[in-house]
Amino acid sequence: MTSYYFEHQKIFLAVDCIIFGFDDNKLKILIGRRKMNPGYGEWSLYGGFVRNNESVDEAADRTLFELTGMRNVYMRQVGAFGSVDRDPGERVVSIAYYALINVSNYDDKLRQEHEVEWVDIEQMPKMFSDHNDMVLKARRLMKQKIKTQPISFQLLPQLFTLTQLQRLYEAVNGEEVDKRNFRKRIKEMDFIEKTELIDKASSKRGAALYRFNKNAYKEDPNFKL
C-alpha cells in the first residue's frame, strides 16, 4: 500500500448481509445479538469489515459463507449506508447485500454455532444502527425483482406446490393475491413445470408438485407476473 492521501481522514468500510429465507409461509431474516461494542447484545444483521485484499463483493461472499457455509448463493447489492452518526464507535460506511437461501439447506448446527435466529420479517425487532432500514430497502427491491425475475425459486425447495409459491409471493409483498388469477398466470409459464409427483403432507387428496425449468425460462425473456 502507498502512503498517498495521508492528509485525508480514514473511514472504515463494512458489509452487512440481509439473509432471507421462507419457512412456515413466512418471509424471514437471519439475525443475531451483537457480540461487540458498540451495541453489544442488540439485535443485528451479520456483517464485518472489508479487508485490504478484497473487494466489497468478495467481502460479502466471505461473510455469507462464514455464516451459512454456502457458495453460489443468489446475492445482490442493496446500497450504501453512510450517515455520519450511524455507528457511535467510528465513522463507518456499510454496503448492504441481500441473499436468498432455502432454509432447509442451511445446517442448523451452523446456525446455533453463530447464535443467529430466523425471525419473521413482520415481527422484526429494533436492530442496531440502520439495520432495519437496510432490511426494508432490501424487501422493496425484492418486491420489484420478483415481478420480472423468478428469484422466488431461490427460497423454495426443488419441488414445490402452487400453494407454497403463492404463499411466498404473498409473504414477499405483504399482501394476499387472488388465488384463481395467480394460478392461471403461473400455469401459463412454460418454465414452471408440473411433475407427476404428489405432496401428500399438505392434504388428504394431496397437491401436485412443480419445479422450475431454468432452460425454459431463458427462452421467455418477457416474463412478468
Side-chain angles (χ1 to χ4, degrees), residues 44-89:
S44 171
L45 297 172
Y46 194 83
F49 291 101
V50 179
R51 297 171 180 171
N52 286 336
N53 64 344
E54 62 185 4
S55 68
V56 290
D57 287 349
E58 289 169 340
D61 285 335
R62 171 179 54 79
T63 300
L64 182 66
F65 180 73
E66 289 174 355
L67 180 60
T68 67
M70 297 181 183
R71 297 286 192 190
N72 302 316
V73 172
Y74 180 94
M75 184 164 60
R76 295 293 185 272
Q77 192 178 113
V78 175
F81 291 77
S83 296
V84 174
D85 59 351
R86 65 173 302 275
D87 191 314

mmCIF file of all heavy atoms in Angstrom, residues 44-89:
data_model
loop_
_atom_site.group_PDB
_atom_site.id
_atom_site.type_symbol
_atom_site.label_atom_id
_atom_site.label_comp_id
_atom_site.label_asym_id
_atom_site.label_seq_id
_atom_site.Cartn_x
_atom_site.Cartn_y
_atom_site.Cartn_z
ATOM 1 N N SER A 44 -28.993 -7.621 15.456
ATOM 2 C CA SER A 44 -28.155 -7.089 14.384
ATOM 3 C C SER A 44 -28.130 -8.039 13.191
ATOM 4 O O SER A 44 -28.343 -9.252 13.326
ATOM 5 C CB SER A 44 -26.724 -6.901 14.913
ATOM 6 O OG SER A 44 -25.813 -6.581 13.881
ATOM 7 N N LEU A 45 -27.879 -7.487 12.030
ATOM 8 C CA LEU A 45 -27.563 -8.293 10.856
ATOM 9 C C LEU A 45 -26.152 -8.845 11.037
ATOM 10 O O LEU A 45 -25.398 -8.387 11.904
ATOM 11 C CB LEU A 45 -27.630 -7.448 9.585
ATOM 12 C CG LEU A 45 -28.998 -6.867 9.229
ATOM 13 C CD1 LEU A 45 -28.861 -5.895 8.064
ATOM 14 C CD2 LEU A 45 -29.992 -7.971 8.889
ATOM 15 N N TYR A 46 -25.777 -9.794 10.200
ATOM 16 C CA TYR A 46 -24.438 -10.368 10.263
ATOM 17 C C TYR A 46 -23.565 -9.649 9.235
ATOM 18 O O TYR A 46 -23.934 -9.541 8.062
ATOM 19 C CB TYR A 46 -24.485 -11.863 9.959
ATOM 20 C CG TYR A 46 -23.227 -12.610 10.313
ATOM 21 C CD1 TYR A 46 -22.995 -13.059 11.610
ATOM 22 C CD2 TYR A 46 -22.262 -12.859 9.357
ATOM 23 C CE1 TYR A 46 -21.847 -13.757 11.944
ATOM 24 C CE2 TYR A 46 -21.100 -13.554 9.672
ATOM 25 C CZ TYR A 46 -20.894 -13.999 10.970
ATOM 26 O OH TYR A 46 -19.745 -14.673 11.290
ATOM 27 N N GLY A 47 -22.432 -9.148 9.681
ATOM 28 C CA GLY A 47 -21.571 -8.412 8.762
ATOM 29 C C GLY A 47 -20.138 -8.389 9.237
ATOM 30 O O GLY A 47 -19.744 -9.136 10.135
ATOM 31 N N GLY A 48 -19.356 -7.509 8.627
ATOM 32 C CA GLY A 48 -17.962 -7.390 9.008
ATOM 33 C C GLY A 48 -17.261 -6.341 8.167
ATOM 34 O O GLY A 48 -17.847 -5.782 7.233
ATOM 35 N N PHE A 49 -16.015 -6.086 8.497
ATOM 36 C CA PHE A 49 -15.242 -5.074 7.785
ATOM 37 C C PHE A 49 -14.593 -5.649 6.525
ATOM 38 O O PHE A 49 -14.223 -6.828 6.485
ATOM 39 C CB PHE A 49 -14.177 -4.466 8.697
ATOM 40 C CG PHE A 49 -14.752 -3.611 9.794
ATOM 41 C CD1 PHE A 49 -14.879 -4.095 11.089
ATOM 42 C CD2 PHE A 49 -15.196 -2.329 9.516
ATOM 43 C CE1 PHE A 49 -15.426 -3.314 12.094
ATOM 44 C CE2 PHE A 49 -15.737 -1.525 10.508
ATOM 45 C CZ PHE A 49 -15.855 -2.016 11.806
ATOM 46 N N VAL A 50 -14.467 -4.806 5.527
ATOM 47 C CA VAL A 50 -13.821 -5.197 4.274
ATOM 48 C C VAL A 50 -12.309 -5.208 4.486
ATOM 49 O O VAL A 50 -11.736 -4.245 5.019
ATOM 50 C CB VAL A 50 -14.181 -4.209 3.138
ATOM 51 C CG1 VAL A 50 -13.494 -4.616 1.842
ATOM 52 C CG2 VAL A 50 -15.694 -4.146 2.951
ATOM 53 N N ARG A 51 -11.674 -6.285 4.066
ATOM 54 C CA ARG A 51 -10.226 -6.407 4.228
ATOM 55 C C ARG A 51 -9.492 -5.696 3.108
ATOM 56 O O ARG A 51 -10.053 -5.454 2.029
ATOM 57 C CB ARG A 51 -9.839 -7.884 4.265
ATOM 58 C CG ARG A 51 -10.433 -8.639 5.451
ATOM 59 C CD ARG A 51 -10.225 -10.138 5.343
ATOM 60 N NE ARG A 51 -10.791 -10.858 6.496
ATOM 61 C CZ ARG A 51 -10.905 -12.171 6.575
ATOM 62 N NH1 ARG A 51 -10.488 -12.945 5.569
ATOM 63 N NH2 ARG A 51 -11.429 -12.737 7.652
ATOM 64 N N ASN A 52 -8.221 -5.401 3.342
ATOM 65 C CA ASN A 52 -7.427 -4.663 2.358
ATOM 66 C C ASN A 52 -7.257 -5.406 1.043
ATOM 67 O O ASN A 52 -7.067 -4.784 -0.005
ATOM 68 C CB ASN A 52 -6.040 -4.348 2.926
ATOM 69 C CG ASN A 52 -6.080 -3.239 3.968
ATOM 70 O OD1 ASN A 52 -6.997 -2.422 3.974
ATOM 71 N ND2 ASN A 52 -5.099 -3.220 4.854
ATOM 72 N N ASN A 53 -7.333 -6.733 1.090
ATOM 73 C CA ASN A 53 -7.057 -7.525 -0.115
ATOM 74 C C ASN A 53 -8.324 -8.039 -0.795
ATOM 75 O O ASN A 53 -8.259 -8.979 -1.589
ATOM 76 C CB ASN A 53 -6.152 -8.703 0.234
ATOM 77 C CG ASN A 53 -6.819 -9.682 1.202
ATOM 78 O OD1 ASN A 53 -7.819 -9.334 1.834
ATOM 79 N ND2 ASN A 53 -6.260 -10.877 1.315
ATOM 80 N N GLU A 54 -9.495 -7.459 -0.506
ATOM 81 C CA GLU A 54 -10.728 -7.941 -1.116
ATOM 82 C C GLU A 54 -11.640 -6.787 -1.527
ATOM 83 O O GLU A 54 -11.598 -5.699 -0.936
ATOM 84 C CB GLU A 54 -11.471 -8.894 -0.172
ATOM 85 C CG GLU A 54 -11.914 -8.273 1.120
ATOM 86 C CD GLU A 54 -12.536 -9.291 2.087
ATOM 87 O OE1 GLU A 54 -12.567 -10.503 1.787
ATOM 88 O OE2 GLU A 54 -12.993 -8.850 3.168
ATOM 89 N N SER A 55 -12.441 -7.049 -2.545
ATOM 90 C CA SER A 55 -13.448 -6.086 -2.977
ATOM 91 C C SER A 55 -14.649 -6.183 -2.044
ATOM 92 O O SER A 55 -14.741 -7.109 -1.224
ATOM 93 C CB SER A 55 -13.884 -6.400 -4.415
ATOM 94 O OG SER A 55 -14.603 -7.623 -4.452
ATOM 95 N N VAL A 56 -15.601 -5.262 -2.184
ATOM 96 C CA VAL A 56 -16.784 -5.329 -1.326
ATOM 97 C C VAL A 56 -17.614 -6.575 -1.642
ATOM 98 O O VAL A 56 -18.192 -7.196 -0.741
ATOM 99 C CB VAL A 56 -17.649 -4.050 -1.439
ATOM 100 C CG1 VAL A 56 -16.926 -2.874 -0.798
ATOM 101 C CG2 VAL A 56 -18.027 -3.744 -2.872
ATOM 102 N N ASP A 57 -17.674 -6.961 -2.922
ATOM 103 C CA ASP A 57 -18.398 -8.187 -3.289
ATOM 104 C C ASP A 57 -17.738 -9.413 -2.666
ATOM 105 O O ASP A 57 -18.420 -10.319 -2.170
ATOM 106 C CB ASP A 57 -18.445 -8.350 -4.805
ATOM 107 C CG ASP A 57 -19.405 -7.384 -5.480
ATOM 108 O OD1 ASP A 57 -20.193 -6.723 -4.765
ATOM 109 O OD2 ASP A 57 -19.380 -7.286 -6.721
ATOM 110 N N GLU A 58 -16.407 -9.444 -2.694
ATOM 111 C CA GLU A 58 -15.685 -10.572 -2.102
ATOM 112 C C GLU A 58 -15.888 -10.612 -0.590
ATOM 113 O O GLU A 58 -16.015 -11.685 0.000
ATOM 114 C CB GLU A 58 -14.196 -10.474 -2.436
ATOM 115 C CG GLU A 58 -13.889 -10.745 -3.903
ATOM 116 C CD GLU A 58 -12.465 -10.392 -4.276
ATOM 117 O OE1 GLU A 58 -11.818 -9.604 -3.540
ATOM 118 O OE2 GLU A 58 -11.994 -10.898 -5.310
ATOM 119 N N ALA A 59 -15.939 -9.443 0.034
ATOM 120 C CA ALA A 59 -16.181 -9.383 1.473
ATOM 121 C C ALA A 59 -17.571 -9.900 1.813
ATOM 122 O O ALA A 59 -17.764 -10.616 2.801
ATOM 123 C CB ALA A 59 -16.012 -7.947 1.975
ATOM 124 N N ALA A 60 -18.555 -9.556 0.975
ATOM 125 C CA ALA A 60 -19.919 -10.038 1.198
ATOM 126 C C ALA A 60 -19.993 -11.550 1.005
ATOM 127 O O ALA A 60 -20.645 -12.255 1.789
ATOM 128 C CB ALA A 60 -20.879 -9.328 0.250
ATOM 129 N N ASP A 61 -19.326 -12.068 -0.023
ATOM 130 C CA ASP A 61 -19.293 -13.519 -0.258
ATOM 131 C C ASP A 61 -18.662 -14.243 0.923
ATOM 132 O O ASP A 61 -19.160 -15.285 1.371
ATOM 133 C CB ASP A 61 -18.503 -13.839 -1.530
ATOM 134 C CG ASP A 61 -19.275 -13.511 -2.799
ATOM 135 O OD1 ASP A 61 -20.519 -13.491 -2.755
ATOM 136 O OD2 ASP A 61 -18.619 -13.284 -3.833
ATOM 137 N N ARG A 62 -17.570 -13.703 1.421
ATOM 138 C CA ARG A 62 -16.875 -14.319 2.561
ATOM 139 C C ARG A 62 -17.770 -14.304 3.800
ATOM 140 O O ARG A 62 -17.886 -15.320 4.510
ATOM 141 C CB ARG A 62 -15.569 -13.568 2.850
ATOM 142 C CG ARG A 62 -14.882 -14.000 4.151
ATOM 143 C CD ARG A 62 -13.589 -13.245 4.389
ATOM 144 N NE ARG A 62 -13.745 -11.806 4.359
ATOM 145 C CZ ARG A 62 -14.222 -11.081 5.362
ATOM 146 N NH1 ARG A 62 -14.627 -11.675 6.492
ATOM 147 N NH2 ARG A 62 -14.313 -9.770 5.277
ATOM 148 N N THR A 63 -18.403 -13.183 4.050
ATOM 149 C CA THR A 63 -19.269 -13.044 5.219
ATOM 150 C C THR A 63 -20.431 -14.028 5.157
ATOM 151 O O THR A 63 -20.770 -14.686 6.149
ATOM 152 C CB THR A 63 -19.804 -11.606 5.320
ATOM 153 O OG1 THR A 63 -18.697 -10.698 5.439
ATOM 154 C CG2 THR A 63 -20.707 -11.433 6.522
ATOM 155 N N LEU A 64 -21.035 -14.132 3.974
ATOM 156 C CA LEU A 64 -22.154 -15.058 3.799
ATOM 157 C C LEU A 64 -21.710 -16.508 4.002
ATOM 158 O O LEU A 64 -22.408 -17.300 4.645
ATOM 159 C CB LEU A 64 -22.753 -14.886 2.404
ATOM 160 C CG LEU A 64 -23.962 -15.757 2.066
ATOM 161 C CD1 LEU A 64 -25.159 -15.377 2.932
ATOM 162 C CD2 LEU A 64 -24.323 -15.622 0.592
ATOM 163 N N PHE A 65 -20.533 -16.848 3.469
ATOM 164 C CA PHE A 65 -20.024 -18.217 3.604
ATOM 165 C C PHE A 65 -19.702 -18.536 5.062
ATOM 166 O O PHE A 65 -19.970 -19.647 5.537
ATOM 167 C CB PHE A 65 -18.783 -18.408 2.737
ATOM 168 C CG PHE A 65 -18.197 -19.789 2.831
ATOM 169 C CD1 PHE A 65 -18.832 -20.869 2.241
ATOM 170 C CD2 PHE A 65 -17.019 -20.011 3.531
ATOM 171 C CE1 PHE A 65 -18.311 -22.149 2.341
ATOM 172 C CE2 PHE A 65 -16.493 -21.281 3.639
ATOM 173 C CZ PHE A 65 -17.143 -22.357 3.039
ATOM 174 N N GLU A 66 -19.121 -17.573 5.779
ATOM 175 C CA GLU A 66 -18.804 -17.791 7.191
ATOM 176 C C GLU A 66 -20.051 -18.130 7.991
ATOM 177 O O GLU A 66 -20.023 -18.966 8.891
ATOM 178 C CB GLU A 66 -18.134 -16.542 7.783
ATOM 179 C CG GLU A 66 -16.718 -16.296 7.288
ATOM 180 C CD GLU A 66 -16.159 -14.976 7.782
ATOM 181 O OE1 GLU A 66 -16.922 -14.205 8.432
ATOM 182 O OE2 GLU A 66 -14.981 -14.687 7.528
ATOM 183 N N LEU A 67 -21.173 -17.478 7.656
ATOM 184 C CA LEU A 67 -22.400 -17.674 8.413
ATOM 185 C C LEU A 67 -23.177 -18.907 7.984
ATOM 186 O O LEU A 67 -23.739 -19.617 8.813
ATOM 187 C CB LEU A 67 -23.292 -16.433 8.276
ATOM 188 C CG LEU A 67 -24.630 -16.469 9.025
ATOM 189 C CD1 LEU A 67 -24.403 -16.625 10.519
ATOM 190 C CD2 LEU A 67 -25.443 -15.216 8.736
ATOM 191 N N THR A 68 -23.204 -19.195 6.685
ATOM 192 C CA THR A 68 -24.070 -20.262 6.172
ATOM 193 C C THR A 68 -23.336 -21.495 5.656
ATOM 194 O O THR A 68 -23.937 -22.554 5.512
ATOM 195 C CB THR A 68 -24.950 -19.732 5.028
ATOM 196 O OG1 THR A 68 -24.119 -19.417 3.893
ATOM 197 C CG2 THR A 68 -25.716 -18.497 5.457
ATOM 198 N N GLY A 69 -22.060 -21.341 5.324
ATOM 199 C CA GLY A 69 -21.321 -22.446 4.722
ATOM 200 C C GLY A 69 -21.723 -22.691 3.278
ATOM 201 O O GLY A 69 -21.370 -23.718 2.693
ATOM 202 N N MET A 70 -22.445 -21.752 2.660
ATOM 203 C CA MET A 70 -22.963 -21.930 1.307
ATOM 204 C C MET A 70 -22.187 -21.096 0.290
ATOM 205 O O MET A 70 -21.756 -19.983 0.577
ATOM 206 C CB MET A 70 -24.436 -21.522 1.245
ATOM 207 C CG MET A 70 -25.356 -22.353 2.095
ATOM 208 S SD MET A 70 -27.080 -21.796 1.912
ATOM 209 C CE MET A 70 -27.905 -22.892 3.071
ATOM 210 N N ARG A 71 -22.048 -21.678 -0.905
ATOM 211 C CA ARG A 71 -21.435 -20.990 -2.036
ATOM 212 C C ARG A 71 -22.482 -20.823 -3.140
ATOM 213 O O ARG A 71 -23.504 -21.492 -3.156
ATOM 214 C CB ARG A 71 -20.258 -21.804 -2.584
ATOM 215 C CG ARG A 71 -19.111 -21.997 -1.621
ATOM 216 C CD ARG A 71 -18.294 -20.731 -1.444
ATOM 217 N NE ARG A 71 -17.039 -20.988 -0.733
ATOM 218 C CZ ARG A 71 -16.235 -20.029 -0.275
ATOM 219 N NH1 ARG A 71 -16.541 -18.761 -0.492
ATOM 220 N NH2 ARG A 71 -15.123 -20.336 0.368
ATOM 221 N N ASN A 72 -22.187 -19.914 -4.065
ATOM 222 C CA ASN A 72 -23.045 -19.680 -5.234
ATOM 223 C C ASN A 72 -24.490 -19.359 -4.833
ATOM 224 O O ASN A 72 -25.451 -19.834 -5.439
ATOM 225 C CB ASN A 72 -23.023 -20.899 -6.162
ATOM 226 C CG ASN A 72 -21.630 -21.235 -6.641
ATOM 227 O OD1 ASN A 72 -20.864 -20.346 -7.020
ATOM 228 N ND2 ASN A 72 -21.279 -22.515 -6.624
ATOM 229 N N VAL A 73 -24.625 -18.568 -3.792
ATOM 230 C CA VAL A 73 -25.940 -18.141 -3.319
ATOM 231 C C VAL A 73 -26.371 -16.896 -4.084
ATOM 232 O O VAL A 73 -25.548 -16.036 -4.424
ATOM 233 C CB VAL A 73 -25.887 -17.841 -1.802
ATOM 234 C CG1 VAL A 73 -27.187 -17.216 -1.323
ATOM 235 C CG2 VAL A 73 -25.597 -19.116 -1.023
ATOM 236 N N TYR A 74 -27.671 -16.795 -4.367
ATOM 237 C CA TYR A 74 -28.202 -15.588 -5.021
ATOM 238 C C TYR A 74 -28.022 -14.416 -4.057
ATOM 239 O O TYR A 74 -28.579 -14.401 -2.962
ATOM 240 C CB TYR A 74 -29.680 -15.765 -5.358
ATOM 241 C CG TYR A 74 -30.296 -14.552 -6.032
ATOM 242 C CD1 TYR A 74 -30.369 -14.469 -7.415
ATOM 243 C CD2 TYR A 74 -30.802 -13.495 -5.275
ATOM 244 C CE1 TYR A 74 -30.924 -13.357 -8.035
ATOM 245 C CE2 TYR A 74 -31.351 -12.383 -5.893
ATOM 246 C CZ TYR A 74 -31.422 -12.320 -7.266
ATOM 247 O OH TYR A 74 -31.972 -11.211 -7.880
ATOM 248 N N MET A 75 -27.254 -13.419 -4.478
ATOM 249 C CA MET A 75 -27.000 -12.259 -3.634
ATOM 250 C C MET A 75 -26.866 -11.012 -4.499
ATOM 251 O O MET A 75 -26.218 -11.032 -5.545
ATOM 252 C CB MET A 75 -25.736 -12.466 -2.787
ATOM 253 C CG MET A 75 -25.471 -11.329 -1.804
ATOM 254 S SD MET A 75 -24.276 -11.774 -0.495
ATOM 255 C CE MET A 75 -22.828 -12.183 -1.460
ATOM 256 N N ARG A 76 -27.479 -9.934 -4.062
ATOM 257 C CA ARG A 76 -27.446 -8.677 -4.793
ATOM 258 C C ARG A 76 -27.192 -7.521 -3.825
ATOM 259 O O ARG A 76 -27.590 -7.566 -2.664
ATOM 260 C CB ARG A 76 -28.770 -8.430 -5.531
ATOM 261 C CG ARG A 76 -29.072 -9.440 -6.626
ATOM 262 C CD ARG A 76 -28.102 -9.337 -7.781
ATOM 263 N NE ARG A 76 -28.442 -10.224 -8.882
ATOM 264 C CZ ARG A 76 -28.036 -11.489 -8.994
ATOM 265 N NH1 ARG A 76 -27.277 -12.013 -8.038
ATOM 266 N NH2 ARG A 76 -28.382 -12.228 -10.030
ATOM 267 N N GLN A 77 -26.553 -6.477 -4.340
ATOM 268 C CA GLN A 77 -26.250 -5.319 -3.511
ATOM 269 C C GLN A 77 -27.492 -4.468 -3.311
ATOM 270 O O GLN A 77 -28.243 -4.211 -4.242
ATOM 271 C CB GLN A 77 -25.142 -4.496 -4.170
ATOM 272 C CG GLN A 77 -24.556 -3.424 -3.261
ATOM 273 C CD GLN A 77 -23.421 -2.662 -3.921
ATOM 274 O OE1 GLN A 77 -23.547 -1.471 -4.200
ATOM 275 N NE2 GLN A 77 -22.307 -3.337 -4.179
ATOM 276 N N VAL A 78 -27.703 -4.042 -2.079
ATOM 277 C CA VAL A 78 -28.837 -3.185 -1.729
ATOM 278 C C VAL A 78 -28.462 -1.720 -1.871
ATOM 279 O O VAL A 78 -29.222 -0.912 -2.394
ATOM 280 C CB VAL A 78 -29.303 -3.469 -0.283
ATOM 281 C CG1 VAL A 78 -30.411 -2.502 0.132
ATOM 282 C CG2 VAL A 78 -29.778 -4.908 -0.161
ATOM 283 N N GLY A 79 -27.267 -1.371 -1.399
ATOM 284 C CA GLY A 79 -26.822 0.015 -1.486
ATOM 285 C C GLY A 79 -25.883 0.366 -0.344
ATOM 286 O O GLY A 79 -25.571 -0.472 0.518
ATOM 287 N N ALA A 80 -25.441 1.610 -0.344
ATOM 288 C CA ALA A 80 -24.514 2.096 0.676
ATOM 289 C C ALA A 80 -25.275 2.848 1.760
ATOM 290 O O ALA A 80 -26.206 3.602 1.475
ATOM 291 C CB ALA A 80 -23.461 3.005 0.046
ATOM 292 N N PHE A 81 -24.856 2.630 2.990
ATOM 293 C CA PHE A 81 -25.454 3.310 4.137
ATOM 294 C C PHE A 81 -24.329 4.043 4.862
ATOM 295 O O PHE A 81 -23.430 3.408 5.412
ATOM 296 C CB PHE A 81 -26.147 2.303 5.049
ATOM 297 C CG PHE A 81 -27.378 1.696 4.430
ATOM 298 C CD1 PHE A 81 -27.261 0.704 3.457
ATOM 299 C CD2 PHE A 81 -28.642 2.137 4.782
ATOM 300 C CE1 PHE A 81 -28.389 0.152 2.867
ATOM 301 C CE2 PHE A 81 -29.778 1.598 4.191
ATOM 302 C CZ PHE A 81 -29.653 0.607 3.229
ATOM 303 N N GLY A 82 -24.384 5.366 4.831
ATOM 304 C CA GLY A 82 -23.249 6.127 5.327
ATOM 305 C C GLY A 82 -23.574 7.370 6.120
ATOM 306 O O GLY A 82 -22.807 8.343 6.082
ATOM 307 N N SER A 83 -24.690 7.353 6.842
ATOM 308 C CA SER A 83 -24.993 8.502 7.700
ATOM 309 C C SER A 83 -23.832 8.732 8.668
ATOM 310 O O SER A 83 -23.222 7.769 9.165
ATOM 311 C CB SER A 83 -26.280 8.255 8.491
ATOM 312 O OG SER A 83 -27.388 8.141 7.623
ATOM 313 N N VAL A 84 -23.536 9.990 8.928
ATOM 314 C CA VAL A 84 -22.375 10.343 9.754
ATOM 315 C C VAL A 84 -22.424 9.671 11.119
ATOM 316 O O VAL A 84 -21.414 9.192 11.634
ATOM 317 C CB VAL A 84 -22.278 11.869 9.906
ATOM 318 C CG1 VAL A 84 -21.160 12.245 10.875
ATOM 319 C CG2 VAL A 84 -22.045 12.525 8.550
ATOM 320 N N ASP A 85 -23.610 9.605 11.710
ATOM 321 C CA ASP A 85 -23.727 9.098 13.078
ATOM 322 C C ASP A 85 -24.298 7.687 13.131
ATOM 323 O O ASP A 85 -24.812 7.255 14.157
ATOM 324 C CB ASP A 85 -24.611 10.034 13.905
ATOM 325 C CG ASP A 85 -26.014 10.185 13.306
ATOM 326 O OD1 ASP A 85 -26.230 9.706 12.164
ATOM 327 O OD2 ASP A 85 -26.884 10.778 13.967
ATOM 328 N N ARG A 86 -24.185 6.914 12.041
ATOM 329 C CA ARG A 86 -24.804 5.582 12.014
ATOM 330 C C ARG A 86 -24.101 4.591 12.943
ATOM 331 O O ARG A 86 -24.691 3.602 13.364
ATOM 332 C CB ARG A 86 -24.857 5.027 10.589
ATOM 333 C CG ARG A 86 -23.509 4.743 9.934
ATOM 334 C CD ARG A 86 -23.665 4.045 8.582
ATOM 335 N NE ARG A 86 -24.389 2.788 8.722
ATOM 336 C CZ ARG A 86 -23.796 1.646 9.048
ATOM 337 N NH1 ARG A 86 -22.487 1.610 9.270
ATOM 338 N NH2 ARG A 86 -24.507 0.544 9.154
ATOM 339 N N ASP A 87 -22.839 4.805 13.235
ATOM 340 C CA ASP A 87 -22.092 3.932 14.133
ATOM 341 C C ASP A 87 -21.413 4.804 15.181
ATOM 342 O O ASP A 87 -20.553 5.625 14.847
ATOM 343 C CB ASP A 87 -21.049 3.127 13.352
ATOM 344 C CG ASP A 87 -20.420 2.020 14.189
ATOM 345 O OD1 ASP A 87 -20.045 2.290 15.345
ATOM 346 O OD2 ASP A 87 -20.303 0.886 13.694
ATOM 347 N N PRO A 88 -21.801 4.654 16.457
ATOM 348 C CA PRO A 88 -21.227 5.501 17.507
ATOM 349 C C PRO A 88 -19.759 5.208 17.807
ATOM 350 O O PRO A 88 -19.115 5.956 18.548
ATOM 351 C CB PRO A 88 -22.109 5.188 18.727
ATOM 352 C CG PRO A 88 -22.636 3.814 18.478
ATOM 353 C CD PRO A 88 -22.817 3.724 16.981
ATOM 354 N N GLY A 89 -19.233 4.114 17.236
ATOM 355 C CA GLY A 89 -17.853 3.754 17.516
ATOM 356 C C GLY A 89 -16.860 4.512 16.662
ATOM 357 O O GLY A 89 -15.924 5.139 17.172
#
